[in-house]
Amino acid sequence: MSVSRETIAAIRFGYGFQPGLRGPSDAGDLLRELSDGAQARLLVPGPSFAERHAMLAERREALKRNASEAEQKRLVKRNRAQTVTDAAARLTQRAYGHGLFERMTSFWMDHFTVAAKSPVRALLIPVYEPEAIRPHVMGHFADMLVAVSRHAAMLDYLDQRGSVGPNSKAGRRRDIGLNENLAREVLELHTLGVGGAYTQRDVRELAELLTGYGFQPDTGEFRFVSNQAEPGTETVLGRTYGRGKPDAGEAEEALRDLARHPDTARHIARKLAVHFVSDTPDDRLVRRLESTFRDADGHLPSLYAELLEHPSSWETFGAKVKQPMDFLVSCIRATGQRPSELKRGVQNQLVRALRQMNQPIHGPPGPDGWPEAGEAWITPQGLASRLEFASLLGNQLAKDRDLDPRKLAEDVLRDALRPGTAFAIGGAEARWEGFALIFASPEFNRR
């Protein structure tokens, strides 16, 4: 079955069609989505880091002074409500922002994964995307790498504030050890990739170079704590850094060198192709992306253009399974609902649905982010959860007597709608079943 480029553009490189609206039709339209997305403001801006920190501080202060049970419950409820509001804001942004820009933002958020170690930390993570990721989606990879490596969310997630140089003033005085988490993930996940040209010694030397990286607890602003920084020189991949007094710029220089390493180009190229095209992408596409990344010095718009202009990016439609978040966002677009405007109870349903599909907001299983392989998501539990949500959505849509399941299927799947699926939707005994079949169909769950 042949599928048009317009349908592939909307579903593979975006979050699907919204009824009544034309989608992007080719690479040019998609590149414009990227450009427009970079200039757009957040649809639902949230509290700043300082405001969020104040919310947590108020809760801690109430515990410290043994405030009344009623007051403590109120503060806990308020903070939990904010995390649900944050989740609804992200779903709204993905569904109604500029399609490919939002997809790229999601890709880089997963590449530079941070996770909430506790409900408390989940309150602070939402500032990470607008501060460290979105401003650099249309810039250079090196700038994004530096930004995320200095952001409070990453430094907290990988326990970097507790990393102290053994020979630093603080290390000699308090006998505090070195933490290699950030250095290891920078080398293994963020730049060179598993199997890249680095050794355990490179990990340790980079960890020593990164000592001193921290942030202001109340504002989240980056700060360099010089008395925790390891003095002397460090050698990473054969290059020496740190020739004088400990300086945050030395670690930044190392990060920028890692961003330009050939192994980084190879790692990013393959990861991008796997995410957007196929779990087993065409080697020719990967090589072209690798070459472009290297030749353009990590200029990301050049990389995106190569991805969109390569013929194999428009082949094997349906090869990728939508992850639960993407599935949910596609459902939201198809129904025209804005999660940020829904009642709290419905917002809770969306958050719960993601948890049941095993992709909770801010809860990736580890620093390597969410799995890409389709079999990670098409499991008995995963399918049951999708069917349950499809049925829930079908029942909600059936309340609108003017809405026809067959018409909605044509609007949101266009020429990807298979005759067998169309026949099943049209022959459903109840209207809600017809709607549910749309969202449970293979066409809707794959891209």
Side-chain angles (χ1 to χ4, degrees):
M1 178 178 174
S2 178
V3 179
S4 68
R5 288 177 78 89
E6 181 177 357
T7 297
I8 296 174
I11 297 176
R12 170 169 286 179
F13 296 107
Y15 290 101
F17 289 105
Q18 188 177 357
L21 296 181
R22 175 185 172 275
S25 60
D26 55 23
D29 284 349
L30 290 167
L31 289 171
R32 279 187 286 276
E33 279 191 345
L34 285 166
S35 179
D36 291 344
Q39 300 173 43
R41 295 182 178 180
L42 287 175
L43 296 176
V44 190
S48 67
F49 185 101
E51 291 168 329
R52 293 168 181 275
H53 181 271
M55 293 170 69
L56 296 177
E58 185 179 2
R59 164 69 177 144
R60 286 194 298 268
E61 193 273 334
L63 284 171
K64 186 176 180 180
R65 61 181 168 83
N66 199 25
S68 68
E69 183 178 352
E71 182 179 356
Q72 294 201 37
K73 284 184 176 179
R74 178 185 65 82
L75 293 175
V76 169
K77 185 176 180 180
R78 179 201 62 181
N79 292 359
R80 286 177 178 171
Q82 182 61 52
T83 63
V84 175
T85 297
D86 292 333
R90 176 178 284 194
L91 289 167
T92 298
Q93 185 66 45
R94 295 290 186 262
Y96 298 107
H98 296 273
L100 183 54
F101 184 85
E102 296 302 328
R103 286 291 312 282
M104 286 297 178
T105 300
S106 184
F107 169 79
W108 291 116
M109 276 288 290
D110 190 64
H111 181 74
F112 294 110
T113 290
V114 295
K117 295 182 177 180
S118 69
V120 170
R121 305 314 297 171
L123 193 62
L124 297 177
I125 284 182
V127 300
Y128 175 63
E129 179 181 310
E131 292 178 354
I133 301 293
R134 296 180 77 88
H136 303 290
V137 169
M138 292 296 282
H140 283 79
F141 176 77
D143 293 332
M144 190 186 297
L145 175 63
V146 170
V148 300
S149 299
R150 290 183 168 210
H151 195 275
M154 183 67 75
L155 297 173
D156 178 72
Y157 175 49
L158 296 178
D159 302 314
Q160 179 61 25
R161 285 192 300 170
S163 182
V164 177
N167 298 304
S168 67
K169 292 180 180 179
R172 292 196 305 271
R173 184 171 65 248
R174 293 183 286 165
D175 192 27
I176 303 174
L178 185 70
N179 188 306
E180 297 181 353
N181 287 354
L182 178 59
R184 185 174 304 282
E185 306 315 346
V186 164
L187 289 165
E188 184 174 296
L189 301 177
H190 301 166
T191 60
L192 278 62
V194 177
Y198 66 91
T199 66
Q200 172 55 33
R201 179 167 182 173
D202 291 314
V203 172
R204 182 173 180 83
E205 298 272 305
L206 181 59
E208 292 182 348
L209 196 58
L210 287 166
T211 52
Y213 269 36
F215 61 92
Q216 287 291 128
D218 55 341
T219 65
E221 294 180 359
F222 174 79
R223 68 168 180 169
F224 183 71
V225 187
S226 59
N227 71 344
Q228 293 185 2
E230 179 72 2
T233 61
E234 315 295 340
T235 302
V236 181
L237 300 184
R239 182 163 180 179
T240 300
Y241 306 89
R243 287 168 285 278
K245 183 179 178 182
D247 184 336
E250 294 291 335
E252 178 178 338
E253 185 180 349
L255 291 171
R256 291 186 179 280
D257 286 341
L258 290 171
R260 297 185 178 95
H261 195 280
D263 283 357
T264 300
R266 189 174 305 113
H267 177 50
I268 299 300
R270 182 163 190 81
K271 193 166 184 180
L272 192 71
V274 166
H275 183 77
F276 280 94
V277 182
S278 169
D279 292 345
T280 55
D282 186 337
D283 285 341
R284 292 171 297 178
L285 170 62
V286 176
R287 287 196 297 270
R288 283 299 306 153
L289 293 173
E290 178 186 343
S291 175
T292 299
F293 185 97
R294 194 169 54 245
D295 294 346
D297 194 29
H299 182 242
L300 297 178
S302 299
L303 188 67
Y304 308 150
E306 186 62 51
L307 172 70
L308 295 172
E309 290 164 4
H310 199 281
S312 66
S313 294
W314 300 85
E315 298 169 353
T316 62
F317 180 71
K320 291 292 298 183
V321 173
K322 290 181 182 178
Q323 295 182 14
M325 169 69 84
D326 292 0
F327 165 71
L328 204 61
V329 171
S330 296
C331 290
I332 290 165
R333 278 187 63 80
T335 59
Q337 296 178 319
R338 284 185 174 242
S340 57
E341 298 172 357
L342 297 175
K343 293 180 179 178
R344 176 76 60 199
V346 181
Q347 291 180 351
N348 282 327
Q349 283 183 338
L350 295 173
V351 173
R352 185 164 55 251
L354 280 172
R355 189 165 57 248
Q356 290 173 339
M357 295 178 203
N358 205 29
Q359 195 175 36
I361 291 274
H362 310 315
D368 53 347
W370 298 107
E372 284 285 352
E375 55 263 29
W377 305 111
I378 304 302
T379 64
Q381 178 189 339
L383 284 173
S385 298
R386 291 190 193 221
L387 290 172
E388 181 181 344
F389 186 79
S391 298
L392 175 67
L393 198 54
N395 276 290
Q396 290 178 352
L397 294 175
K399 296 175 183 178
D400 184 349
R401 288 293 171 186
D402 295 327
L403 195 57
D404 184 346
R406 291 166 296 185
K407 178 64 167 61
L408 182 63
E410 293 169 356
D411 280 347
V412 300
L413 291 174
R414 312 284 166 102
D415 58 340
L417 179 63
R418 299 176 184 177
T421 302
F423 179 80
I425 293 169
E429 291 186 9
R431 290 176 66 249
W432 76 265
E433 291 177 333
F435 289 121
L437 285 169
I438 297 171
F439 306 113
S441 68
E443 298 96 304
F444 195 88
N445 283 269
R446 306 186 76 92
R447 48 163 54 114

